Amino acid sequence: MKITELELNGIKILEPKYFEDYRGYYTESYSSRTLREYGIDTVFVQDNHSYTIKRGTIRGIHFQNNPKPQIKLVRCIRGRVLDVVVDLRKDSSTFKQWISVELSEKNRKQIWIPSGFGHGFLTLEDNCEIQYKVSEWYYPEFDRAIKWNDDEIGVNWGIENPIVSQKDIDAPTLKDSDVNLSIKENLE
């Protein structure tokens, strides 16, 4: 497996090895043993699967507040998405900074997102499917979103009029949110 550190501390791109022949391919899309060898030792408790019909749809920026923040391992198994991660840890030197990376069924990349970060994506094709593992159960009382087009964060989604859910339209800006994430959770 190839692992690349990105600009925001803790965010990594994982590229599992694929074994291909005339029949297709085989890969270990997730191996706790392999990740432990790279210093990543997380227990995942839930797998999530998201299907988005239309190109130009934004989902995010989502996270779970303390005391139940989530670590995520995200991959695109169908189509192509622009995956966005925002540092929401108020005590971080990179607070409010964001990165984006293309995930697709063709490039087979996965993105490792520690707790303390918001996550979202823009579909670049119709019929996109995302699968992601999380380290904490879903708790509706801690489920949060930050407005996808918050000027304070300034994510460049590269789209004028995206399709956005009512939840994401109604999401607060960062300054109006109750985000309570910190670097401390990344160390536990």
Side-chain angles (χ1 to χ4, degrees), residues 23-89:
R23 301 166 298 164
Y25 64 78
Y26 167 82
T27 189
E28 287 182 356
S29 61
Y30 170 76
S31 167
S32 62
R33 178 179 54 197
T34 300
L35 290 180
R36 267 196 312 276
E37 291 172 7
Y38 288 93
I40 299 171
D41 192 13
T42 297
V43 175
F44 289 108
V45 299
Q46 183 173 308
D47 279 356
N48 299 323
H49 189 140
S50 167
Y51 169 65
T52 307
I53 297 169
K54 292 287 186 184
R55 175 184 182 274
T57 300
I58 291 177
R59 292 182 182 251
I61 301 168
H62 302 150
F63 61 99
Q64 268 190 191
N65 244 349
N66 278 320
K68 301 293 184 185
Q70 296 174 323
I71 297 169
K72 294 180 181 178
L73 180 58
V74 181
R75 66 190 184 123
C76 179
I77 61 165
R78 182 177 178 197
R80 198 166 53 98
V81 301
L82 180 70
D83 205 79
V84 172
V85 181
V86 180
D87 190 345
L88 298 177
R89 303 167 301 165

Side-chain angles (χ1 to χ4, degrees), residues 58-61 82 84 98 120-122 148-149 155-159:
I58 291 177
R59 292 182 182 251
I61 301 168
L82 180 70
V84 172
W98 60 275
F121 61 88
L122 165 69
W148 64 274
N149 60 352
V155 173
N156 179 6
W157 294 96
I159 189 169

Side-chain angles (χ1 to χ4, degrees), residues 151-164:
D151 289 335
E152 188 176 2
I153 297 170
V155 173
N156 179 6
W157 294 96
I159 189 169
E160 291 289 322
N161 296 302
I163 300 165
V164 183

Side-chain angles (χ1 to χ4, degrees), residues 74-81 103-110 128-131:
V74 181
R75 66 190 184 123
C76 179
I77 61 165
R78 182 177 178 197
R80 198 166 53 98
V81 301
L103 302 179
S104 72
E105 66 183 302
K106 289 183 180 170
N107 72 21
R108 301 172 174 165
K109 293 179 180 180
Q110 299 179 29
C128 290
E129 292 185 65
I130 301 296
Q131 288 187 335

Side-chain angles (χ1 to χ4, degrees), residues 111-126:
I111 189 164
W112 175 268
I113 307 169
S115 63
F117 291 84
H119 174 252
F121 61 88
L122 165 69
T123 56
L124 301 172
E125 298 179 2
D126 289 346

Side-chain angles (χ1 to χ4, degrees), residues 10 15 22 47 57 66 99 104 110 124 138 143 146 170 180:
E15 297 178 73
Y22 64 93
D47 279 356
T57 300
N66 278 320
I99 57 164
S104 72
Q110 299 179 29
L124 301 172
Y138 170 70
D143 182 39
I146 298 292
D170 295 341
N180 68 2

